[in-house]
Amino acid sequence: MSVSEDTQQLLTEIKRLREELAIKEKHLHDLQTEPCNCKYLENNDFTTDEIIRYSRQMIMPQVQIDGQARLKRGKILIIGAGGLGCPAALYLTSAGVGEITLVDYDEVELSNLHRQILHSENDINIPKVQSASDKLKNINNNVRVIPLKVHADSNTLSRIIQDDKYDVVLDCSDNVATRYLVNDVCVMNDIPLVSGSALQMEGQLTVYHHNSGPCYRCLFPVPPPPHTVTNCGDGGVLGPIPGVIGVLQALEALKILVQLPDVLSGRLLLFDGSTTTFRNIKLRPRNEKCEVCGVNPTITKLIDYEQFCGASAHDKVVNIDIITFAEQTDVKDFPQDLQNNIVIDVRPELEYKMCSLPGTFNFPYSLIIKDCDKVRKFVESKVQDGVTDIYFLCRRGNDSQRAMLYMKENINFEAVQYHNIKGGLHAYSKYIDPSFPVY
Amino acid sequence: MCYVSLRNVNIKNISNFAFQTGYFLISMADLKIALEFGGGAEVLVGNQKVHEVAFPSKNKVWTIGDLLYWIKDNILKERPELFLQDGSVRPGILVLVNDADWELMDTVNYELKSNDRIVFISTLHGG
Ligand SMILES: [Zn+2]
């Protein structure tokens, strides 16, 4: 199903109408927003509408008009406008935080929508920060929302931090390197960091570098080995999990701005959605010898975090190329005859069950390298039937190369030629049949 | 419910049994603890989050250091380096003793007590 001319025309027209609507709504909002008559208010920081809008939190003894004024003066930096950043930004905007800066380099994809609640179907392919800030302005036009479509790295973040004085930073990122970067930026600029993370059915939340509490490096001085890290793209995540954690990140940020006690510093909240349990862990204190927040820090300016972690600062998969050119098969030469050619799909069984090409066989890579007897017997029987070419296939063409190499080294039949489908099912969808879902 | 005494029994066999049933009781003289794995660390031990285990405690003090090697020898299903590194857990895994960071409890030297809950939690990075 490719985008036809009609579709394209409609999309353009809808986009134009939306922009027109936004202008009219802004006009209406300006006409309706009248400043409050000062004689009713001791503190004339607020308009009548603002008092009404925030009344449900302002009448709480924990907030009051002073707390609301602190929120209005507050400036928050959110790294990541995805599963965590969307709900966090939504509540912070609704609560009337003065200024919210969003940093994200990605564009909205269809596979984001189940959890990244600020984005909608009309936002596919537009920058996430743009989509998010449009929604946030609709929700609360009093808040200054600043969308920054940049990749968070040492250069961009130090510039962003220099340009403005933030009261709180939210780490809503999706990778290890960015987490170390954001931690170091916050310690060096003495800003509390509300850090959330989520994967599959679990979430984690804590506040770093607040009230002399520990920082991320105090807890994790050494980054995890890259191959032990799973991202949402590979491991999956249920939408409400980052939803819960992102909303709690907003809560902790509001507590910090209003200056409430009992912020989640020196503690770690573990949320297990599979049993719907929360657990609150007491963490170690700040490490006096911490390389960044200790008494004599050795890291005093930002470093190369991708190098430090041995991993890229995004959650995209980096393609590998570990086999010979001759062994690579272009997806356009995908075998038509699946009697005399065998295609082995090495994705996990549950992904194969979700969508697969008819006539292919599923032998997950993780099982092949654990016990290759099954696949050996299978290949053996096919060889006896006269098969001479075996193709390996997976989601993006990486695991299939690994599986092929393993087979070559461990199960080599002289009569058989192994091939890898270059680019995997993503390439199949792109060049052969776009109705095969890219996930 | 199963009742198993660990005295005079090869602990490895028992652990296999415990792993299969996921739960067993032992006599009062033994050290009974709950092991939990989370944040993805459960993948290392056959995707089972909770393991109730018991050790013969007569004449022996069990530390978390001992426990790490017991886990490696008995319930670990993946390559050891994904769990252990230099006599401790690998970077990125947080160890908790009864809901407190093990850094507050002398880490590998902490002596296990009956009914302790030891949690191995892998830190998450997704969002
Ligand atoms: Zn530190």
Side-chain angles (χ1 to χ4, degrees):
Chain A
M1 196 174 55
S2 65
V3 185
S4 71
E5 228 167 84
D6 284 355
T7 315
Q8 197 53 56
Q9 210 168 6
L10 265 175
L11 283 172
T12 314
E13 195 182 344
I14 288 169
K15 186 167 178 270
R16 187 186 54 78
L17 288 169
R18 267 180 222 287
E19 285 163 2
E20 203 175 311
L21 180 67
I23 293 165
K24 290 197 190 300
E25 278 173 342
K26 169 86 172 65
H27 190 195
L28 178 67
H29 176 268
D30 291 345
L31 287 175
Q32 285 176 335
T33 312
E34 286 172 31
C36 184
N37 190 329
C38 309
K39 73 182 179 195
Y40 299 119
L41 292 177
E42 264 183 45
N43 176 338
N44 59 3
D45 283 352
F46 297 101
T47 63
T48 304
D49 271 5
E50 283 177 300
I51 299 282
I52 298 168
R53 176 191 284 261
Y54 306 125
S55 59
R56 293 302 186 273
Q57 63 194 38
M58 285 172 80
I59 58 173
M60 288 171 59
Q62 293 92 334
V63 179
Q64 309 187 30
I65 189 153
D66 289 347
Q68 192 64 49
R70 288 189 192 113
L71 292 183
K72 193 172 176 175
R73 288 195 299 271
K75 291 182 176 184
I76 291 186
L77 175 64
I78 301 179
I79 310 296
L84 297 164
C86 283
L90 180 60
Y91 274 94
L92 291 171
T93 302
S94 309
V97 170
E99 184 184 294
I100 294 175
T101 304
L102 299 168
V103 174
D104 201 312
Y105 186 69
D106 289 347
E107 272 123 30
V108 179
E109 293 175 27
L110 193 55
S111 63
N112 299 148
L113 300 190
H114 83 292
R115 66 187 191 284
Q116 304 185 8
I117 52 169
L118 286 175
H119 313 308
S120 63
E121 290 175 7
N122 308 308
D123 301 320
I124 306 295
N125 294 332
I126 76 162
K128 284 185 185 178
V129 289
Q130 194 54 56
S131 155
S133 81
D134 289 349
K135 309 306 154 40
L136 295 172
K137 281 172 184 161
N138 270 338
I139 289 162
N140 191 349
N141 209 16
N142 302 304
V143 178
R144 186 160 172 244
V145 183
I146 304 171
L148 296 180
K149 188 189 184 301
V150 288
H151 187 71
D153 61 28
S154 297
N155 286 328
T156 56
L157 265 200
S158 48
R159 214 174 325 126
I160 290 166
I161 288 274
Q162 270 166 23
D163 285 352
D164 213 337
K165 176 70 191 141
Y166 298 98
D167 301 290
V168 186
V169 174
L170 266 62
D171 188 345
C172 300
S173 70
D174 55 15
N175 65 85
V176 189
T178 304
R179 287 183 186 275
Y180 277 97
L181 161 70
V182 175
N183 178 73
D184 292 359
V185 165
C186 284
V187 172
M188 288 169 197
N189 293 277
D190 198 21
I191 307 169
L193 170 61
V194 184
S195 176
S197 57
L199 188 70
Q200 298 182 339
M201 294 288 273
E202 289 181 74
Q204 297 171 357
L205 172 75
T206 188
V207 177
Y208 293 117
H209 192 67
H210 178 66
N211 266 351
S212 340
C215 83
Y216 188 59
R217 276 186 196 268
C218 293
L219 258 64
F220 306 107
V222 181
H227 59 278
T228 64
V229 177
T230 311
N231 59 39
C232 289
D234 283 340
V237 63
L238 203 57
I241 304 290
V244 165
I245 300 296
V247 168
L248 289 175
Q249 282 183 278
L251 173 65
E252 293 306 308
L254 292 177
K255 281 162 67 184
I256 294 170
L257 285 183
V258 175
Q259 297 169 12
L260 291 178
D262 302 321
V263 168
L264 193 73
S265 159
R267 293 184 290 146
L268 170 67
L269 182 84
L270 304 173
F271 171 52
D272 187 345
S274 62
T275 49
T276 321
T277 44
F278 286 94
R279 191 179 280 176
N280 218 306
I281 301 303
K282 189 176 180 335
L283 290 175
R284 68 198 70 175
R286 182 173 73 100
N287 178 6
E288 303 259 291
K289 292 185 186 124
C290 174
E291 287 186 285
V292 67
C293 83
V295 188
N296 293 307
T298 51
I299 300 167
T300 50
K301 55 177 201 274
L302 299 178
I303 58 171
D304 183 334
Y305 292 87
E306 297 195 331
Q307 191 186 14
F308 172 65
C309 297
S312 315
H314 54 69
D315 75 340
K316 312 281 181 289
V317 170
V318 180
N319 287 327
I320 60 167
D321 194 0
I322 53 174
I323 59 175
T324 68
F325 180 75
E327 291 162 331
Q328 291 280 24
T329 293
D330 196 285
V331 73
K332 286 168 186 148
D333 301 322
F334 193 88
Q336 301 290 317
D337 169 12
L338 291 179
Q339 290 300 320
N340 296 306
N341 298 291
I342 295 299
V343 177
I344 296 181
D345 186 327
V346 303
R347 290 175 299 152
E349 188 187 354
L350 55 91
E351 288 181 31
Y352 186 80
K353 271 183 177 165
M354 184 172 76
C355 50
S356 63
L357 299 180
T360 60
F361 298 89
N362 183 220
F363 288 93
Y365 172 60
S366 61
L367 295 184
I368 291 178
I369 56 169
K370 241 183 205 163
D371 172 20
C372 61
D373 249 19
K374 253 175 85 181
V375 69
R376 181 205 307 275
K377 280 185 188 133
F378 171 79
V379 172
E380 238 165 36
S381 75
K382 292 295 171 189
V383 170
Q384 276 161 17
D385 293 348
V387 168
T388 55
D389 293 276
I390 296 184
Y391 294 80
F392 289 87
L393 176 69
C394 69
R395 194 170 160 192
R396 304 182 182 91
N398 291 334
D399 273 352
S400 54
Q401 291 182 51
R402 296 185 179 103
M404 195 191 111
L405 261 193
Y406 185 89
M407 294 280 287
K408 233 174 96 179
E409 280 157 16
N410 294 281
I411 315 169
N412 217 348
F413 295 95
E414 269 186 18
V416 175
Q417 185 66 48
Y418 289 143
H419 311 269
N420 177 59
I421 304 286
K422 201 176 172 199
L425 290 160
H426 279 201
Y428 185 89
S429 184
K430 193 169 176 187
Y431 298 110
I432 308 285
D433 182 2
S435 77
F436 189 88
V438 173
Y439 65 93
Chain B
M1 206 175 287
C2 312
Y3 184 92
V4 179
S5 169
L6 281 184
R7 260 179 228 114
N8 310 320
V9 181
N10 179 317
I11 202 162
K12 190 154 184 168
N13 295 336
I14 290 299
S15 73
N16 287 338
F17 170 75
F19 179 72
Q20 280 153 20
T21 56
Y23 189 84
F24 66 100
L25 289 174
I26 43 86
S27 72
M28 298 308 282
D30 293 325
L31 183 64
K32 198 170 70 170
I33 60 164
L35 296 179
E36 285 189 32
F37 296 81
E42 68 275 15
V43 177
L44 302 174
V45 289
N47 261 316
Q48 188 183 326
K49 283 193 169 179
V50 183
H51 300 247
E52 309 264 351
V53 296
F55 305 109
S57 59
K58 215 176 166 188
N59 305 324
K60 169 139 176 68
V61 169
W62 283 80
T63 64
I64 294 196
D66 300 328
L67 177 66
L68 295 182
Y69 283 94
W70 182 88
I71 290 171
K72 171 182 159 276
D73 293 337
N74 292 277
I75 59 176
L76 198 66
K77 299 281 171 213
E78 299 290 335
R79 299 197 309 279
E81 66 269 25
L82 295 181
F83 181 64
L84 279 181
Q85 216 171 84
D86 306 324
S88 189
V89 291
R90 69 141 170 92
I93 295 181
L94 210 54
V95 186
L96 310 171
V97 179
N98 302 324
D99 286 353
D101 189 341
W102 75 335
E103 284 282 338
L104 299 165
M105 316 292 239
D106 205 12
T107 63
V108 287
N109 304 312
Y110 173 81
E111 292 176 8
L112 296 172
K113 290 185 279 297
S114 235
N115 299 318
D116 273 351
R117 187 171 59 181
I118 312 296
V119 179
F120 298 90
I121 195 108
S122 182
T123 51
L124 306 175
H125 306 95

